[in-house]
Amino acid sequence: MKNDDFVTDMALDVLERESLCGLSDKRELQYGIIRRRVELKNAELAKKIGKERGVYLTYDCPQSVAANTRRARALQSYLADALVELGGVMGRRGRILVVGLGNDEVSADSLGARTVRRLAVSSAEVREKGSRGELMACAVGVEGMTGIKSAEAVEGLCMKLKPTAVFIVDALATAEPCRLGSSFQLTTAGIAPGSGVGRDRARIDRTVTGAPVVAVGVPMVLAMPTVLRNFTEEYAAATGGKGDEYKLRSIIAEKRLGGLLVAPKDIVRVVENAALLLAGALNAAYGEKNRTTTFQAF
């Protein structure tokens, strides 16, 4: 969802803001992990909150999950089950294509490429025999560096490889600082690369791939206008004052803050942890010999 001062890729951010959390099925899992499932079927509601119709699964995790090997493996297991559920492909029965989006040279946007590098892709022998499932992976980069739109690159890959299911991995934007690097969103609604931060791109969904698409992402950035708006509203509520929305927008425009993104100061570590977790989940679900990624806590 994007407007002048509320920017996010996270469906839950929007539902919380619109007081629609009752639409989600909430479950408390191990180690403080919260799983929420929302199925958007109603076209009018989907349009209202600025999201495409589909299933949205979100795992909100305490920061401690990534710092403990046992907890990280539990999260990987939850994510692996969700990938199989949403992808509609059990174990190693299908041809699975994982596509990493984003700019590998920008830490906050490198989640897709970092995840792809850690996948246990199928060996040449497995591909030649064609008797078992396959895991294939590719990082397509960004249009500014390749001259190729992400949707076109994915479409070309799918036309050649004819995958059973496609998983798109990308960094997301959020409206809530607590979700930076610690929330995982999986959705069957596809993805429009860069749309959350105002760079609208062609959507990647089943109409492009010819196969079920699951977009997998972790929020890595906040938009400055969203940060300022949230802070102003919370401060006004806490002090009993009244925020001046018009003045706030004027200051954002005057200071040229509208195009700024904020990332955690330890963004390299945050992205690395998220990539390890996602790669571990994908490997557990579909990787060569269903191998999990060795997780190294930071």
Side-chain angles (χ1 to χ4, degrees):
M1 178 180 184
K2 177 185 180 294
N3 57 32
D4 290 341
D5 45 20
F6 187 72
V7 178
T8 184
D9 289 309
M10 304 293 290
L12 272 184
D13 285 349
V14 187
L15 294 177
E16 289 170 354
R17 187 170 187 82
E18 299 292 332
S19 300
L20 294 172
C21 285
L23 296 176
S24 66
D25 174 39
K26 177 181 177 181
R27 296 185 185 180
E28 296 185 9
L29 307 176
Q30 286 182 301
Y31 308 118
I33 300 170
I34 305 297
R35 175 187 185 269
R36 292 181 176 88
R37 186 181 192 276
V38 178
E39 186 168 0
L40 286 180
K41 295 181 179 180
N42 185 285
E44 185 176 342
L45 176 60
K47 183 177 180 180
K48 176 183 177 181
I49 67 174
K51 294 296 176 186
E52 297 293 322
R53 285 181 291 178
V55 176
Y56 293 82
L57 277 179
T58 306
Y59 292 82
D60 285 331
C61 311
Q63 296 290 339
S64 59
V65 168
N68 180 280
T69 301
R70 179 178 295 178
R71 296 178 182 183
R73 286 176 178 166
L75 175 58
Q76 285 181 347
S77 179
Y78 292 136
L79 292 174
D81 290 342
L83 291 166
V84 172
E85 173 192 345
L86 296 184
V89 183
M90 296 299 294
R92 296 167 51 78
R93 297 178 185 172
R95 305 191 78 204
I96 306 302
L97 174 62
V98 180
V99 179
L101 303 183
N103 188 345
D104 193 22
E105 295 186 3
V106 178
S107 295
D109 198 30
S110 63
L111 177 65
R114 288 174 182 262
T115 300
V116 163
R117 285 201 295 267
R118 288 161 178 77
L119 292 178
V121 296
S122 300
S123 64
E125 179 181 357
V126 169
R127 292 196 301 271
E128 289 172 3
K129 288 182 178 180
S131 58
R132 298 184 296 173
E134 301 175 37
L135 177 62
M136 305 167 288
C138 179
V140 299
V142 292
E143 184 180 356
M145 297 179 67
T146 65
I148 305 171
K149 294 180 179 179
S150 297
E152 293 176 347
V154 173
E155 183 177 18
L157 285 168
C158 291
M159 288 179 63
K160 178 66 176 179
L161 299 173
K162 294 180 171 50
T164 309
V166 181
F167 295 89
I168 309 291
V169 182
D170 198 12
L172 307 177
T174 181
E176 296 295 334
C178 64
R179 288 199 165 105
L180 286 171
S182 60
S183 291
F184 297 76
Q185 178 176 271
L186 299 83
T187 177
T188 60
I191 187 172
S195 62
V197 292
R199 296 189 294 273
D200 293 325
R201 298 288 187 266
R203 291 194 63 77
I204 302 173
D205 54 26
R206 189 165 190 157
T207 62
V208 172
T209 66
V213 172
V214 179
V216 184
V218 182
M220 294 295 172
V221 295
L222 295 155
M224 181 62 77
T226 305
V227 175
L228 294 176
R229 173 170 176 160
N230 288 350
F231 173 78
T232 301
E233 290 178 349
E234 291 176 12
Y235 181 77
T239 59
K242 184 177 181 181
D244 188 331
E245 185 173 336
Y246 176 78
K247 186 62 176 178
L248 175 62
R249 293 190 182 199
S250 298
I251 292 174
I252 290 174
E254 180 183 345
K255 299 293 184 181
R256 299 181 181 179
L257 302 176
L260 296 184
L261 300 174
V262 181
K265 65 179 181 180
D266 55 345
I267 186 61
V268 174
R269 178 187 64 82
V270 171
V271 173
E272 187 69 12
N273 270 347
L276 285 168
L277 284 162
L278 289 179
L282 285 160
N283 285 338
Y286 301 112
E288 178 75 2
K289 298 181 181 178
N290 297 91
R291 177 171 64 84
T292 58
T293 296
T294 301
F295 186 80
Q296 182 176 2
F298 286 79

